[in-house]
Amino acid sequence: MNNDILSIRYRWLFIALAALITVLVAIPVPNSRINTDLNAYLPEKMPSKVNLEKLESVFGKTDPVILIFETDDVLNGSTLKRIKAMNDSLEKMPQFRDVVSLFTTKYIRSEEGSMVVDPVVKNFPANRAEREKLRAEIRDNPLAYKLVVSGDFRYTLIMLNPAQGVSDDELFKTINRLLKENPGPEKTYLNGMPYLRDEIQKKAIRDLAILMPLGLLIMIGFLYFSFREIKGVLVPLSVVVMSIVLAMGLMPLLGYDLSLIAVLVPILMIAIANNYGVHIITRYQELNARYRSRSMNTILDEALYYLSNPILLTALTTIVGILGMVTHIMLPAKQMGIVSAAGITFALLLSLYYVPAVMSFLKTGKPNKSFIVEKHTAVDKFLTWSGKVATASPKRVIAVFAIVLLLTGAGIYRLKVSFNNENMMPASHPLQISTKIANDHLGGTKIISLMFEGDIKDPVLLKTMDRFETELKKLPETGSVTSLATVIRTISRAMNDPGDPMYDKIPDSRDAIAQYIEFYNLSGDPDDFEQLVDFDYTKAVMNIQFRATGIREFRKVESAIDKLMASAPYCRLKAGHCIVEKEMAEAIVKGQNYSLVFAFGAIILLLWWIFRSLKAGLMGSIPLVFCIMCNFGLMGWLGFELDIATSLLSSVAIGIGVDYTIHLFWRLKTELSDGVEYHEAIRKTLKTTGRGISINAFSVMTGFAVLLLSGLTILKAFGFLIIFSLLLCLLCAILLIPAICLQLRPAFLEKSPIQNFNRINGL
């Protein structure tokens, strides 16, 4: 045994330590909790969250579930009976605070000189004439028409506000059970934030249960195909598994919930954690083929002597790139950056100590034919071709990459930020279908609430609210505007005849308004006002319902609201879940920019430090610039939006992609220092280290490929785009960088070799 190698001298200790740490961090994993509340992903002091909490402290928490029924005519007797049965059952359930439907929404009218308040549907129409009369009444009811029932009467909804503390899972078990107990031919769809959260949780659990094992299986197949040795599979695999356990175990230990993007953590470990072991296995096979008489320990000694520096430094750049997520505004991104960086650090230590310790027990196998037979595999053929192209036509290679950058990068101008959370689901998902129905027929899925403060019965204040309503209804995006002013005007239509000066008007005196409210309380339920005005009539809320499929439409509506608020001192607060969504979209852009600047700056400085040359930092960043520009350009051309997952692409791609350039620089520098001519040094580098880089890159891409099978659209998009990004980084490393090196012949590559300050026996 060679006692110079620390990892072999104390091999049992390192193996035992690796196993012990893995077991200890695995203990809290079963206590992990999935948190799919997207609002919780943002900082507590974000203005939109603070305003929403203020609004909900007065008028109660609003997080409704919407159940939509589709049929030829919702006023058919059988359909109304089904909706009535559902309504009555839901009202009896303690899981729901209130229920809004055709049977609870009010119809305010005048009968024999007095005001009557009844449900929109009080009795089932017995014939066609009664049905058409009911249809006319609904069309004349601003509290129901195009809100609870669509303009064409094909759709109607039941809106449910959950009781405090009821889980999403319990809500939908109850709703689905009641739908089964009350069957009918009508199609039903669900919508609302609780439904989105429930679907995310189900799909996230499915992804964790399926994608992680599948990713491991694919990685096993890829490693065996690449190395043709069992040790080349099992050793890197064990590193990956232990790194996954550590990263996932740290989440509950640090008090982190599993978020939507936490699904990416084990996939990230599968893709990255085997990188360093792959280079050690590749170097072992190269030396084993070249020196058949050498023992495993001698081979490991030489492999580690050569690879310790590049492995340590590439791991450092990967960790720094991943830590770029810590600058992200969104909390799950910060948390993912921390645990992923810890997992990669653990994988690095395992590769330097655990992998040699395990391999020292194994015998050298048969030499890999790739290092003996010229052009044996597709990878070898490709690397031989790339060496010839890069050295024969470097200017042409650079020109081709420049053209690709210009054409693909131009798509950045088409890049959009994701604004609608339902886009996390596939286009065929019921949530997407119900959202389109709500936008097209039921007023829209976005709601902004305004809180007015003062004497709510003051005619000036109510007329201000009425002015808001009139102006906002002029916008084509607006579906409805509802407030106490809406109800007062509806009462005025019931209390006055058409043509009367007070018909459909806000009264001019406070006493008249108070009288209207009292008349309503005598005929209807006083609790009907609970969601519009507080108990002492000092605060009132206005709900603006609208449709916005993109951020531009949203900003148009919000701008109109802001202009009205600027002219009204009574309106003190603007809030809504959709405003939180908008701030989340803006946070995604900011987080992307912060992460990008941090990662780029850190990588340039690290490369400058590693090679003692600013030119090395700038040259090493070229593949990253090319990759990021082309990646965002492709997103623009293909219509991919920048969302909570794709905003992390830069940090991940930069962290992984720079490794290929560092390995290439390191080997090329070694060859040149040995006196090899530049062209030959490049070809030799690509044939040897290039093989490790290629196996590494395709291994990472294979790991991320399982995301294409995710049930969440945003994770599928992330999987596709990260594969594209890493493929570009690989092509840059084996084509563009060699061509640039040949053209510039930078001095830092021709200096004497860097001393191995991280020699394994000195650690």
Side-chain angles (χ1 to χ4, degrees), residues 122-429:
K122 185 177 181 181
N123 301 303
F124 298 122
N127 50 52
R128 181 181 178 85
E130 290 185 5
R131 188 163 63 247
E132 294 309 312
K133 179 184 176 184
L134 175 60
R135 198 185 312 275
E137 291 174 351
I138 292 174
R139 285 197 177 105
D140 193 44
N141 187 348
L143 302 178
Y145 188 53
K146 294 186 179 180
L147 294 176
V148 181
V149 64
S150 64
D152 58 6
F153 288 86
R154 288 180 56 207
Y155 304 97
T156 187
L157 62 78
I158 298 178
M159 186 167 67
L160 313 162
N161 267 318
Q164 190 71 26
V166 180
S167 69
D168 296 335
D169 183 60
E170 185 179 354
L171 288 179
F172 293 105
K173 281 182 178 177
T174 302
I175 293 171
N176 289 326
R177 175 173 59 80
L178 292 176
L179 284 171
K180 287 181 180 179
E181 292 174 359
N182 299 279
E186 299 82 14
K187 292 181 181 178
T188 58
Y189 306 94
L190 286 164
N191 201 287
M193 188 60 71
Y195 181 52
L196 175 62
R197 289 197 303 262
D198 190 60
E199 287 296 293
I200 288 174
Q201 178 155 333
K202 289 176 181 175
K203 292 185 183 301
I205 292 172
R206 168 200 172 272
D207 284 355
L208 283 172
I210 296 176
L211 299 187
M212 187 168 66
L214 182 60
L216 290 171
L217 286 173
I218 292 174
M219 190 194 75
I220 289 170
F222 182 82
L223 289 174
Y224 184 76
F225 174 79
S226 301
F227 294 122
R228 307 288 179 167
E229 276 191 89
I230 296 299
K231 66 171 70 72
V233 175
L234 298 183
V235 175
L237 176 65
S238 61
V239 171
V240 169
V241 171
M242 288 189 282
S243 300
I244 290 173
V245 172
L246 182 121
M248 299 304 288
L250 279 179
M251 298 198 77
L253 278 174
L254 296 174
Y256 300 160
D257 290 334
L258 291 179
S259 64
L260 166 63
I261 60 174
V263 176
L264 292 173
V265 173
I267 305 301
L268 202 62
M269 292 302 103
I270 291 173
I272 298 176
N274 70 343
N275 286 3
Y276 318 116
V278 162
H279 282 289
I280 291 174
I281 298 293
T282 302
R283 185 64 173 172
Y284 145 74
Q285 287 193 335
E286 179 186 349
L287 295 173
N288 186 44
R290 189 185 303 172
Y291 309 110
R292 291 296 299 132
S293 61
R294 291 187 180 180
S295 67
M296 175 64 83
N297 288 353
T298 303
I299 289 175
L300 288 173
D301 188 16
E302 185 170 342
L304 292 171
Y305 180 82
Y306 175 78
L307 288 173
S308 59
N309 268 354
I311 284 178
L312 280 166
L313 296 172
T314 54
L316 182 60
T317 54
T318 300
I319 292 166
V320 167
I322 296 297
L323 281 175
M325 297 183 205
V326 176
T327 63
H328 208 290
I329 293 176
M330 300 193 70
L331 299 180
K334 294 176 184 285
Q335 296 167 358
M336 179 180 168
I338 291 169
V339 299
S340 297
I344 295 167
T345 301
F346 190 49
L348 167 66
L349 295 174
L350 290 173
S351 299
L352 291 177
Y353 295 104
Y354 165 82
V355 169
V358 171
M359 289 189 67
S360 69
F361 285 102
L362 307 176
K363 296 180 180 179
T364 57
K366 294 180 180 179
N368 191 306
K369 293 182 180 179
S370 297
F371 295 98
I372 300 174
V373 181
E374 188 76 17
K375 300 180 181 180
H376 182 70
T377 67
V379 171
D380 296 314
K381 291 178 181 179
F382 178 69
L383 291 171
T384 300
W385 171 84
S386 66
K388 289 180 178 178
V389 171
T391 54
S393 308
K395 291 182 180 179
R396 187 175 299 175
V397 169
I398 295 170
V400 169
F401 274 84
I403 292 169
V404 171
L405 176 63
L406 290 173
L407 294 178
T408 309
I412 291 176
Y413 295 101
R414 298 167 56 93
L415 183 62
K416 296 179 181 178
V417 179
S418 177
F419 170 66
N420 294 303
N421 288 329
E422 62 269 11
N423 290 340
M424 295 181 183
M425 299 296 164
S428 59
H429 192 277

Side-chain angles (χ1 to χ4, degrees), residues 654-665:
I654 289 173
I656 301 172
V658 73
D659 291 4
Y660 311 148
T661 302
I662 291 177
H663 279 290
L664 187 97
F665 280 167

Side-chain angles (χ1 to χ4, degrees), residues 614-625:
L614 177 59
K615 186 176 285 188
L618 296 175
M619 285 181 62
S621 67
I622 290 174
L624 306 181
V625 173

Side-chain angles (χ1 to χ4, degrees), residues 108 143 482-492 520 529 532:
I108 305 171
L143 302 178
T482 309
S483 68
L484 183 62
T486 314
V487 178
I488 296 298
R489 285 187 60 171
T490 305
I491 293 172
S492 75
Y520 185 96
F529 291 121
L532 295 176

